[in-house]
Amino acid sequence: MTEHESVPLSEVDLSDLDRFRDDLAWGQFDTLRREDPVHWSEEPAGRGFWSVTRYDDIWAVDKDTEVFTSEEFVNLEDVDPEFMDLRRSMLETDGPRHQAMRALIAREFSPRNLMKNYEGFLRELTRQTVDEALQHDEFDFVEKVSGDFPIQVLARLLDVPKEDTGQLIAWGDEMVGNTDPDYTKFPFDSPESEKYKHLPFRSPTTQEVFDYGRALRDGRKGGDGTDLVSVLANKVPMDGVPLSDTDFDNYFLLLVIAGNETTRQAISNTMLGLMRQRDQLRAMQEDPSLITTGLEELLRWASPVYHFRRTATREVELGGKTIAEGDKVVMWFASGNRDDSHFEDPYRIDVRRTNVDHLTFGKGSPHLCLGNALARMEVRLMFEELLPRLADIELAGDVARVRSNFVNGIKTFPVAVKPR
Ligand code: HEM
Protein backbone atom coordinates (compact mmCIF):
# COMPACT_ATOMS: atom_id res chain seq x y z
CA MET A 1 0.00 0.00 0.00
CA THR A 2 1.28 3.49 -0.89
CA GLU A 3 -0.49 6.79 -0.44
CA HIS A 4 1.84 9.11 -2.30
CA GLU A 5 2.87 10.17 -5.77
CA SER A 6 6.10 8.92 -7.27
CA VAL A 7 8.75 11.53 -8.13
CA PRO A 8 11.20 11.18 -11.07
CA LEU A 9 14.86 11.08 -10.02
CA SER A 10 15.59 14.32 -11.88
CA GLU A 11 13.07 16.13 -9.67
CA VAL A 12 14.21 14.82 -6.30
CA ASP A 13 15.23 17.68 -3.97
CA LEU A 14 15.54 16.82 -0.31
CA SER A 15 16.64 20.33 0.62
CA ASP A 16 13.31 21.79 -0.54
CA LEU A 17 11.55 22.21 2.80
CA ASP A 18 8.21 23.13 1.26
CA ARG A 19 7.95 19.59 -0.08
CA PHE A 20 8.28 18.21 3.42
CA ARG A 21 5.58 20.62 4.60
CA ASP A 22 3.41 19.31 1.75
CA ASP A 23 4.08 15.68 2.77
CA LEU A 24 5.94 14.93 -0.48
CA ALA A 25 9.01 13.32 1.06
CA TRP A 26 7.97 9.69 0.68
CA GLY A 27 7.81 9.57 -3.12
CA GLN A 28 11.31 11.05 -3.23
CA PHE A 29 12.65 8.47 -0.77
CA ASP A 30 11.09 5.63 -2.80
CA THR A 31 12.75 6.84 -5.99
CA LEU A 32 16.13 7.20 -4.31
CA ARG A 33 16.04 3.76 -2.68
CA ARG A 34 15.12 2.21 -6.02
CA GLU A 35 17.28 4.20 -8.44
CA ASP A 36 20.09 5.98 -6.62
CA PRO A 37 20.35 4.87 -2.99
CA VAL A 38 23.48 6.91 -2.29
CA HIS A 39 22.62 10.14 -4.03
CA TRP A 40 24.53 13.42 -4.38
CA SER A 41 22.63 16.73 -4.12
CA GLU A 42 23.84 20.27 -4.55
CA GLU A 43 22.52 22.74 -2.00
CA PRO A 44 21.45 26.32 -2.66
CA ALA A 45 23.21 27.56 0.50
CA GLY A 46 25.58 24.75 1.43
CA ARG A 47 28.34 22.53 0.17
CA GLY A 48 26.13 19.68 -1.02
CA PHE A 49 25.43 16.31 0.60
CA TRP A 50 25.04 12.60 0.04
CA SER A 51 21.65 11.07 0.82
CA VAL A 52 21.68 7.51 2.13
CA THR A 53 18.20 6.04 1.87
CA ARG A 54 18.42 2.23 2.14
CA TYR A 55 18.13 0.52 5.51
CA ASP A 56 21.42 -1.41 5.37
CA ASP A 57 23.46 1.58 4.18
CA ILE A 58 22.01 3.81 6.90
CA TRP A 59 22.90 1.24 9.52
CA ALA A 60 26.43 0.92 8.11
CA VAL A 61 26.97 4.69 8.38
CA ASP A 62 25.40 5.05 11.81
CA LYS A 63 27.58 2.42 13.45
CA ASP A 64 30.90 3.53 11.96
CA THR A 65 31.87 6.62 13.95
CA GLU A 66 35.48 6.46 12.78
CA VAL A 67 34.65 6.95 9.13
CA PHE A 68 31.44 8.92 9.67
CA THR A 69 31.97 11.46 12.42
CA SER A 70 29.39 13.54 14.29
CA GLU A 71 32.01 16.10 15.33
CA GLU A 72 31.27 18.33 12.33
CA PHE A 73 27.63 18.55 13.33
CA VAL A 74 24.65 16.41 12.57
CA ASN A 75 22.08 18.36 10.59
CA LEU A 76 22.34 19.75 7.10
CA GLU A 77 23.57 23.17 8.22
CA ASP A 78 27.28 23.82 7.51
CA VAL A 79 28.32 25.12 10.90
CA ASP A 80 31.17 27.60 10.79
CA PRO A 81 34.25 25.81 12.29
CA GLU A 82 34.93 28.79 14.57
CA PHE A 83 31.53 28.27 16.27
CA MET A 84 31.56 24.49 16.52
CA ASP A 85 32.97 24.25 20.03
CA LEU A 86 30.58 26.91 21.26
CA ARG A 87 27.62 24.95 19.93
CA ARG A 88 28.82 21.40 20.64
CA SER A 89 26.81 18.97 22.81
CA MET A 90 27.32 15.22 23.23
CA LEU A 91 25.34 14.76 20.02
CA GLU A 92 28.25 16.36 18.16
CA THR A 93 31.00 14.66 20.21
CA ASP A 94 32.55 11.25 19.48
CA GLY A 95 34.92 8.92 21.32
CA PRO A 96 35.71 8.80 25.06
CA ARG A 97 34.43 12.30 25.80
CA HIS A 98 31.08 11.38 24.27
CA GLN A 99 30.91 8.23 26.40
CA ALA A 100 31.80 10.17 29.54
CA MET A 101 29.18 12.84 28.90
CA ARG A 102 26.50 10.33 28.05
CA ALA A 103 27.28 8.18 31.10
CA LEU A 104 26.57 11.14 33.40
CA ILE A 105 22.82 10.63 33.07
CA ALA A 106 22.47 7.32 31.23
CA ARG A 107 21.26 5.50 34.33
CA GLU A 108 18.36 7.94 34.71
CA PHE A 109 17.16 6.90 31.26
CA SER A 110 17.40 3.13 31.76
CA PRO A 111 14.10 1.23 31.41
CA ARG A 112 14.43 0.00 35.00
CA ASN A 113 14.89 3.43 36.49
CA LEU A 114 12.11 4.90 34.38
CA MET A 115 9.69 2.17 35.39
CA LYS A 116 10.58 2.59 39.05
CA ASN A 117 10.60 6.38 39.23
CA TYR A 118 8.38 7.67 36.48
CA GLU A 119 5.80 5.17 35.21
CA GLY A 120 3.22 6.02 37.91
CA PHE A 121 3.68 9.75 37.45
CA LEU A 122 3.55 9.39 33.69
CA ARG A 123 0.38 7.32 33.67
CA GLU A 124 -1.34 9.89 35.85
CA LEU A 125 -0.18 12.74 33.60
CA THR A 126 -1.40 10.83 30.56
CA ARG A 127 -4.81 10.26 32.15
CA GLN A 128 -5.17 13.93 33.02
CA THR A 129 -4.22 14.91 29.45
CA VAL A 130 -6.75 12.50 27.94
CA ASP A 131 -9.50 13.45 30.44
CA GLU A 132 -9.05 17.13 29.71
CA ALA A 133 -9.03 16.61 25.91
CA LEU A 134 -12.15 14.45 25.96
CA GLN A 135 -14.14 17.22 27.64
CA HIS A 136 -14.40 18.62 24.09
CA ASP A 137 -16.21 17.10 21.06
CA GLU A 138 -13.79 18.79 18.68
CA PHE A 139 -10.22 19.85 19.39
CA ASP A 140 -6.76 20.13 17.93
CA PHE A 141 -5.01 16.85 18.73
CA VAL A 142 -1.60 18.55 18.89
CA GLU A 143 -2.77 21.27 21.23
CA LYS A 144 -4.76 19.04 23.58
CA VAL A 145 -3.01 15.67 23.47
CA SER A 146 0.45 15.35 21.99
CA GLY A 147 1.77 18.92 22.22
CA ASP A 148 2.54 19.64 25.85
CA PHE A 149 2.72 16.17 27.30
CA PRO A 150 6.37 15.30 26.45
CA ILE A 151 7.75 18.57 27.81
CA GLN A 152 5.83 18.11 31.04
CA VAL A 153 7.65 14.83 31.42
CA LEU A 154 11.00 16.54 30.82
CA ALA A 155 10.05 19.32 33.22
CA ARG A 156 9.68 16.62 35.86
CA LEU A 157 13.03 15.00 34.98
CA LEU A 158 14.75 18.40 35.14
CA ASP A 159 12.63 19.40 38.13
CA VAL A 160 11.67 22.79 36.71
CA PRO A 161 8.82 24.65 38.43
CA LYS A 162 5.40 23.85 36.99
CA GLU A 163 4.71 27.46 36.04
CA ASP A 164 7.76 27.48 33.73
CA THR A 165 6.60 24.53 31.63
CA GLY A 166 4.77 26.73 29.09
CA GLN A 167 7.95 28.69 28.52
CA LEU A 168 9.93 25.47 27.93
CA ILE A 169 7.37 24.36 25.34
CA ALA A 170 7.59 27.67 23.47
CA TRP A 171 11.39 27.53 23.46
CA GLY A 172 11.41 23.94 22.24
CA ASP A 173 9.01 24.71 19.38
CA GLU A 174 10.95 27.73 18.29
CA MET A 175 14.28 25.93 18.12
CA VAL A 176 13.37 22.61 16.56
CA GLY A 177 10.93 24.36 14.23
CA ASN A 178 13.72 26.70 13.17
CA THR A 179 12.93 26.23 9.49
CA ASP A 180 9.24 26.99 9.88
CA PRO A 181 8.17 30.66 9.86
CA ASP A 182 5.15 29.77 12.03
CA TYR A 183 7.47 28.77 14.85
CA THR A 184 10.34 31.23 14.59
CA LYS A 185 10.97 34.85 13.64
CA PHE A 186 14.31 33.89 12.11
CA PRO A 187 13.92 30.81 9.89
CA PHE A 188 17.21 29.04 9.43
CA ASP A 189 17.23 29.70 5.66
CA SER A 190 16.57 33.45 6.08
CA PRO A 191 19.35 36.09 5.85
CA GLU A 192 18.49 37.32 9.40
CA SER A 193 19.54 34.00 10.93
CA GLU A 194 23.15 34.64 9.79
CA LYS A 195 23.47 36.96 12.80
CA TYR A 196 22.90 34.02 15.13
CA LYS A 197 25.13 31.41 13.56
CA HIS A 198 27.25 31.15 16.71
CA LEU A 199 24.20 29.81 18.57
CA PRO A 200 22.61 26.35 18.33
CA PHE A 201 19.78 26.27 15.76
CA ARG A 202 20.94 29.78 14.80
CA SER A 203 18.30 30.91 17.23
CA PRO A 204 18.54 33.89 19.60
CA THR A 205 16.16 31.97 21.87
CA THR A 206 18.95 29.63 22.90
CA GLN A 207 20.54 32.41 24.97
CA GLU A 208 17.36 32.59 27.05
CA VAL A 209 17.42 28.82 27.55
CA PHE A 210 21.09 28.97 28.60
CA ASP A 211 20.40 31.71 31.16
CA TYR A 212 17.46 29.78 32.52
CA GLY A 213 19.44 26.52 32.78
CA ARG A 214 22.39 28.19 34.50
CA ALA A 215 20.16 29.78 37.11
CA LEU A 216 18.70 26.34 37.91
CA ARG A 217 22.18 24.81 38.04
CA ASP A 218 23.63 27.47 40.29
CA GLY A 219 20.80 26.99 42.75
CA ARG A 220 21.47 23.24 42.91
CA LYS A 221 25.28 23.20 43.14
CA GLY A 222 26.46 21.33 46.21
CA GLY A 223 22.95 19.96 46.88
CA ASP A 224 21.90 16.33 46.94
CA GLY A 225 19.06 16.49 44.37
CA THR A 226 18.62 13.57 42.00
CA ASP A 227 17.02 15.48 39.11
CA LEU A 228 19.02 15.80 35.89
CA VAL A 229 20.07 19.41 36.52
CA SER A 230 21.44 18.47 39.95
CA VAL A 231 23.35 15.55 38.43
CA LEU A 232 24.89 17.82 35.78
CA ALA A 233 25.67 20.48 38.42
CA ASN A 234 27.43 18.10 40.80
CA LYS A 235 28.81 15.05 39.01
CA VAL A 236 32.16 14.98 37.19
CA PRO A 237 32.20 12.93 33.96
CA MET A 238 34.15 9.66 34.21
CA ASP A 239 37.03 11.04 32.11
CA GLY A 240 37.71 13.44 34.99
CA VAL A 241 37.08 16.59 32.92
CA PRO A 242 34.32 18.66 34.56
CA LEU A 243 31.57 20.13 32.40
CA SER A 244 32.45 23.67 31.37
CA ASP A 245 29.73 26.33 31.37
CA THR A 246 29.40 25.85 27.61
CA ASP A 247 29.16 22.06 28.05
CA PHE A 248 26.41 22.57 30.59
CA ASP A 249 24.52 25.07 28.40
CA ASN A 250 24.49 22.74 25.44
CA TYR A 251 23.67 19.67 27.56
CA PHE A 252 20.68 21.43 29.14
CA LEU A 253 19.51 22.65 25.76
CA LEU A 254 19.80 19.17 24.27
CA LEU A 255 17.65 17.73 27.04
CA VAL A 256 15.02 20.43 26.63
CA ILE A 257 14.64 19.92 22.92
CA ALA A 258 15.57 16.30 22.13
CA GLY A 259 12.54 14.68 23.66
CA ASN A 260 9.96 17.36 23.04
CA GLU A 261 9.05 17.68 19.38
CA THR A 262 10.14 14.09 18.63
CA THR A 263 7.81 12.42 21.12
CA ARG A 264 5.00 14.81 20.24
CA GLN A 265 5.31 13.78 16.61
CA ALA A 266 5.54 10.10 17.46
CA ILE A 267 2.11 10.44 19.10
CA SER A 268 0.56 12.69 16.42
CA ASN A 269 1.86 10.71 13.43
CA THR A 270 0.73 7.45 14.99
CA MET A 271 -2.78 8.74 15.69
CA LEU A 272 -3.16 10.08 12.16
CA GLY A 273 -1.83 6.83 10.71
CA LEU A 274 -4.27 4.79 12.76
CA MET A 275 -7.17 6.99 11.63
CA ARG A 276 -6.18 6.28 8.03
CA GLN A 277 -5.70 2.55 8.66
CA ARG A 278 -8.67 1.96 10.90
CA ASP A 279 -8.48 -1.81 11.00
CA GLN A 280 -5.31 -1.37 13.08
CA LEU A 281 -6.96 1.16 15.38
CA ARG A 282 -9.83 -1.26 15.96
CA ALA A 283 -7.48 -4.20 16.47
CA MET A 284 -5.73 -2.36 19.31
CA GLN A 285 -9.01 -1.25 20.83
CA GLU A 286 -10.29 -4.82 20.84
CA ASP A 287 -7.04 -6.23 22.17
CA PRO A 288 -5.07 -3.57 24.12
CA SER A 289 -2.15 -5.99 24.58
CA LEU A 290 -1.36 -5.16 20.93
CA ILE A 291 -0.38 -1.66 22.07
CA THR A 292 2.58 -3.18 23.92
CA THR A 293 3.49 -5.80 21.34
CA GLY A 294 2.84 -3.46 18.40
CA LEU A 295 4.72 -0.49 19.88
CA GLU A 296 7.81 -0.92 17.71
CA GLU A 297 5.64 -1.03 14.60
CA LEU A 298 3.97 2.24 15.63
CA LEU A 299 7.40 3.82 16.16
CA ARG A 300 8.64 2.55 12.79
CA TRP A 301 5.61 3.95 11.10
CA ALA A 302 5.70 7.30 12.93
CA SER A 303 9.40 8.03 12.10
CA PRO A 304 9.41 11.46 13.79
CA VAL A 305 13.02 12.20 12.82
CA TYR A 306 13.69 12.30 9.08
CA HIS A 307 17.46 12.47 9.26
CA PHE A 308 20.74 12.84 11.08
CA ARG A 309 23.98 13.74 9.31
CA ARG A 310 27.60 12.61 9.52
CA THR A 311 30.83 13.77 7.81
CA ALA A 312 33.28 11.40 6.13
CA THR A 313 36.72 11.42 7.81
CA ARG A 314 38.33 9.78 4.75
CA GLU A 315 37.49 8.66 1.22
CA VAL A 316 35.13 5.69 1.36
CA GLU A 317 32.94 3.57 -0.96
CA LEU A 318 29.25 3.33 -0.14
CA GLY A 319 26.54 1.85 -2.37
CA GLY A 320 28.87 1.98 -5.39
CA LYS A 321 29.68 5.69 -4.90
CA THR A 322 32.94 7.26 -3.80
CA ILE A 323 32.45 9.61 -0.90
CA ALA A 324 35.28 12.10 -0.46
CA GLU A 325 36.85 13.09 2.85
CA GLY A 326 34.86 15.98 4.33
CA ASP A 327 31.62 15.20 2.46
CA LYS A 328 28.35 15.44 4.34
CA VAL A 329 26.49 12.12 4.52
CA VAL A 330 22.82 12.22 5.50
CA MET A 331 21.12 9.14 6.93
CA TRP A 332 17.43 9.38 6.08
CA PHE A 333 16.13 7.19 8.93
CA ALA A 334 12.53 7.72 7.83
CA SER A 335 13.36 6.31 4.41
CA GLY A 336 15.07 3.25 5.91
CA ASN A 337 11.88 2.62 7.86
CA ARG A 338 10.03 2.33 4.52
CA ASP A 339 12.60 0.08 2.81
CA ASP A 340 10.64 -2.82 1.34
CA SER A 341 13.71 -5.04 1.25
CA HIS A 342 13.52 -4.89 5.04
CA PHE A 343 9.82 -4.38 5.83
CA GLU A 344 7.18 -6.05 3.69
CA ASP A 345 4.49 -3.62 2.53
CA PRO A 346 6.21 -0.85 4.49
CA TYR A 347 3.50 1.80 4.16
CA ARG A 348 1.06 -0.48 5.90
CA ILE A 349 0.78 -0.28 9.69
CA ASP A 350 0.60 -3.84 10.89
CA VAL A 351 0.61 -4.01 14.67
CA ARG A 352 1.05 -7.78 14.48
CA ARG A 353 4.30 -7.42 12.52
CA THR A 354 7.13 -9.15 14.38
CA ASN A 355 10.83 -8.27 14.86
CA VAL A 356 10.34 -4.64 13.87
CA ASP A 357 13.96 -3.58 13.94
CA HIS A 358 13.35 0.05 12.94
CA LEU A 359 15.71 3.03 12.59
CA THR A 360 13.54 5.51 14.49
CA PHE A 361 16.10 5.98 17.28
CA GLY A 362 19.16 5.30 15.08
CA LYS A 363 20.81 1.88 14.93
CA GLY A 364 24.15 0.53 16.05
CA SER A 365 25.42 3.98 16.97
CA PRO A 366 26.93 5.15 20.26
CA HIS A 367 24.56 8.09 19.70
CA LEU A 368 21.49 5.82 19.71
CA CYS A 369 18.73 7.92 21.23
CA LEU A 370 19.41 8.26 24.93
CA GLY A 371 15.72 8.84 25.61
CA ASN A 372 14.46 5.82 23.65
CA ALA A 373 13.08 3.97 26.68
CA LEU A 374 11.36 7.12 27.91
CA ALA A 375 9.89 7.83 24.48
CA ARG A 376 8.68 4.23 24.23
CA MET A 377 7.02 4.52 27.62
CA GLU A 378 5.33 7.83 26.76
CA VAL A 379 3.92 6.55 23.47
CA ARG A 380 2.73 3.29 24.99
CA LEU A 381 1.04 4.97 27.96
CA MET A 382 -0.64 7.54 25.74
CA PHE A 383 -2.24 4.92 23.50
CA GLU A 384 -3.07 2.65 26.43
CA GLU A 385 -4.98 5.52 28.04
CA LEU A 386 -6.46 7.05 24.88
CA LEU A 387 -7.62 4.20 22.65
CA PRO A 388 -9.99 2.48 25.10
CA ARG A 389 -11.68 5.85 25.70
CA LEU A 390 -12.52 6.49 22.03
CA ALA A 391 -15.78 5.31 20.47
CA ASP A 392 -14.90 7.27 17.35
CA ILE A 393 -12.36 9.79 16.09
CA GLU A 394 -12.56 11.63 12.75
CA LEU A 395 -10.62 14.38 11.05
CA ALA A 396 -12.44 17.70 11.49
CA GLY A 397 -10.33 19.91 9.20
CA ASP A 398 -7.02 20.14 7.39
CA VAL A 399 -3.80 18.74 8.82
CA ALA A 400 -0.90 21.24 8.68
CA ARG A 401 2.65 19.91 8.67
CA VAL A 402 5.91 21.37 9.99
CA ARG A 403 8.15 22.87 7.30
CA SER A 404 11.22 20.81 8.11
CA ASN A 405 13.33 18.02 6.66
CA PHE A 406 14.53 17.14 10.16
CA VAL A 407 11.31 16.66 12.12
CA ASN A 408 8.53 14.72 10.43
CA GLY A 409 5.81 16.65 12.12
CA ILE A 410 2.26 17.85 12.33
CA LYS A 411 1.42 21.36 13.55
CA THR A 412 -2.36 21.26 13.62
CA PHE A 413 -4.57 18.22 13.54
CA PRO A 414 -8.29 18.97 14.14
CA VAL A 415 -10.33 16.00 15.29
CA ALA A 416 -13.93 15.27 16.27
CA VAL A 417 -14.31 12.56 18.91
CA LYS A 418 -17.01 10.48 20.51
CA PRO A 419 -15.83 9.18 23.86
CA ARG A 420 -16.92 5.77 25.12
C1 HEM B 1 9.97 9.21 19.65
C2 HEM B 1 10.78 10.11 20.21
C3 HEM B 1 12.23 10.24 19.87
C4 HEM B 1 12.87 9.99 18.69
C5 HEM B 1 12.27 9.53 17.36
C6 HEM B 1 14.29 10.26 18.90
C7 HEM B 1 15.27 10.08 17.94
C8 HEM B 1 16.61 10.24 18.16
C9 HEM B 1 17.65 9.97 17.17
C10 HEM B 1 17.38 9.47 15.76
C11 HEM B 1 18.84 10.26 17.75
C12 HEM B 1 20.22 10.15 17.09
C13 HEM B 1 20.60 8.72 16.90
C14 HEM B 1 21.82 8.51 16.06
O1 HEM B 1 22.58 9.47 15.76
O2 HEM B 1 22.05 7.35 15.70
C15 HEM B 1 18.58 10.71 19.10
C16 HEM B 1 19.55 11.09 20.00
C17 HEM B 1 19.26 11.58 21.27
N1 HEM B 1 18.02 11.62 21.88
FE1 HEM B 1 16.26 11.05 21.08
N2 HEM B 1 14.46 10.68 20.19
C18 HEM B 1 13.24 10.67 20.82
C19 HEM B 1 12.98 10.99 22.15
C20 HEM B 1 13.93 11.39 23.05
C21 HEM B 1 13.66 11.70 24.44
C22 HEM B 1 12.31 11.57 25.14
C23 HEM B 1 14.83 12.13 24.98
C24 HEM B 1 15.03 12.56 26.40
C25 HEM B 1 15.44 13.70 26.76
C26 HEM B 1 15.85 12.05 23.93
C27 HEM B 1 17.19 12.38 24.08
C28 HEM B 1 18.17 12.16 23.14
C29 HEM B 1 19.57 12.48 23.36
C30 HEM B 1 20.16 13.11 24.62
C31 HEM B 1 20.26 12.10 22.19
C32 HEM B 1 21.77 12.22 21.93
C33 HEM B 1 22.43 10.93 22.32
C34 HEM B 1 23.92 10.89 22.06
O3 HEM B 1 24.46 11.73 21.30
O4 HEM B 1 24.59 10.01 22.61
N3 HEM B 1 15.27 11.60 22.79
N4 HEM B 1 17.22 10.68 19.33
Side-chain angles (χ1 to χ4, degrees):
M1 107 176 251
T2 39
E3 295 168 355
H4 49 264
E5 279 173 44
S6 112
V7 179
L9 185 58
S10 57
E11 285 176 25
V12 166
D13 182 358
L14 294 175
S15 56
D16 179 349
L17 305 179
D18 293 345
R19 294 200 194 176
F20 287 80
R21 178 199 57 206
D22 299 340
D23 206 7
L24 299 176
W26 304 106
Q28 303 190 79
F29 290 145
D30 291 352
T31 302
L32 289 179
R33 281 195 309 277
R34 204 174 46 239
E35 296 176 30
D36 196 22
V38 178
H39 172 79
W40 176 256
S41 302
E42 298 295 340
E43 277 176 295
R47 61 187 211 261
F49 60 94
W50 293 100
S51 281
V52 183
T53 46
R54 282 189 183 160
Y55 184 102
D56 286 337
D57 292 335
I58 294 168
W59 181 15
V61 172
D62 207 15
K63 69 183 171 196
D64 190 347
T65 53
E66 264 174 42
V67 176
F68 300 103
T69 180
S70 297
E71 297 249 335
E72 294 193 27
F73 283 66
V74 295
N75 292 117
L76 271 170
E77 180 189 0
D78 292 298
V79 175
D80 204 325
E82 73 176 290
F83 299 130
M84 282 186 182
D85 285 341
L86 214 55
R87 292 179 47 172
R88 193 181 300 287
S89 73
M90 75 163 129
L91 196 55
E92 298 91 7
T93 306
D94 283 332
R97 182 64 177 161
H98 168 255
Q99 281 168 30
M101 288 179 80
R102 187 169 161 121
L104 271 180
I105 56 167
R107 199 186 316 149
E108 294 295 316
F109 284 97
S110 69
R112 211 170 137 197
N113 184 65
L114 290 168
M115 234 135 82
K116 192 169 114 226
N117 295 333
Y118 295 105
E119 177 149 5
F121 157 77
L122 264 175
R123 191 175 288 282
E124 192 44 42
L125 185 63
T126 316
R127 266 191 205 138
Q128 282 168 15
T129 307
V130 171
D131 280 349
E132 153 61 16
L134 295 183
Q135 307 282 316
H136 311 266
D137 303 330
E138 277 195 30
F139 55 87
D140 177 22
F141 189 85
V142 177
E143 188 195 329
K144 294 280 181 222
V145 178
S146 58
D148 298 0
F149 168 67
I151 199 93
Q152 291 190 28
V153 176
L154 287 170
R156 162 87 177 220
L157 265 71
L158 297 164
D159 195 18
V160 307
K162 222 170 176 225
E163 60 274 16
D164 294 350
T165 315
Q167 181 62 71
L168 281 191
I169 295 172
W171 283 333
D173 286 353
E174 176 150 357
M175 286 176 293
V176 181
N178 73 336
T179 51
D180 191 318
D182 281 354
Y183 280 152
T184 175
K185 288 197 281 295
F186 306 106
F188 165 70
D189 47 357
S190 71
E192 293 87 351
S193 84
E194 279 287 310
K195 275 191 285 192
Y196 304 107
K197 61 186 185 184
H198 59 293
L199 290 169
F201 304 97
R202 288 198 186 183
S203 166
T205 307
T206 54
Q207 194 55 54
E208 293 174 52
V209 182
F210 290 165
D211 294 344
Y212 180 81
R214 279 207 204 178
L216 287 182
R217 178 197 65 175
D218 295 346
R220 294 179 194 176
K221 260 196 186 138
D224 56 3
T226 54
D227 63 277
L228 297 179
V229 175
S230 295
V231 174
L232 296 181
N234 297 312
K235 206 163 143 184
V236 176
M238 63 191 184
D239 61 357
V241 182
L243 291 186
S244 66
D245 285 346
T246 304
D247 289 340
F248 175 82
D249 290 345
N250 290 321
Y251 213 131
F252 182 76
L253 183 69
L254 177 65
L255 291 174
V256 170
I257 51 160
N260 176 20
E261 183 80 15
T262 46
T263 315
R264 173 192 304 175
Q265 302 306 348
I267 295 169
S268 295
N269 289 347
T270 300
M271 191 67 242
L272 186 60
L274 291 172
M275 287 164 65
R276 289 179 173 158
Q277 300 188 38
R278 286 193 178 257
D279 59 324
Q280 299 301 298
L281 176 59
R282 268 181 242 112
M284 286 192 290
Q285 287 185 306
E286 278 160 26
D287 177 3
S289 72
L290 287 173
I291 300 171
T292 311
T293 55
L295 182 64
E296 299 309 309
E297 171 67 352
L298 299 180
L299 289 165
R300 175 190 77 82
W301 199 87
S303 293
V305 172
Y306 279 124
H307 79 263
F308 267 97
R309 188 258 282 191
R310 301 292 188 255
T311 303
T313 56
R314 60 168 172 80
E315 190 180 287
V316 60
E317 296 288 311
L318 186 71
K321 300 287 174 72
T322 305
I323 292 174
E325 181 182 339
D327 281 356
K328 295 195 285 186
V329 179
V330 179
M331 304 173 285
W332 293 97
F333 292 129
S335 169
N337 277 344
R338 297 289 185 278
D339 186 339
D340 63 6
S341 68
H342 208 85
F343 303 105
E344 202 188 322
D345 200 1
Y347 286 91
R348 166 132 184 85
I349 303 175
D350 177 0
V351 291
R352 293 191 175 81
R353 207 189 280 269
T354 49
N355 302 322
V356 187
D357 193 8
H358 56 69
L359 302 174
T360 297
F361 298 116
K363 184 174 161 74
S365 165
H367 294 278
L368 179 88
C369 176
L370 179 66
N372 74 78
L374 177 61
R376 285 181 159 108
M377 187 184 264
E378 290 183 51
V379 175
R380 172 175 61 78
L381 290 175
M382 180 51 82
F383 286 98
E384 279 177 3
E385 291 300 321
L386 181 63
L387 297 189
R389 304 273 306 272
L390 292 176
D392 196 16
I393 179 162
E394 300 284 344
L395 264 186
D398 292 336
V399 170
R401 301 179 46 77
V402 182
R403 180 179 178 270
S404 168
N405 60 6
F406 177 51
V407 170
N408 171 19
I410 297 174
K411 272 192 297 204
T412 45
F413 176 4
V415 291
V417 295
K418 287 201 188 80
R420 276 197 185 180

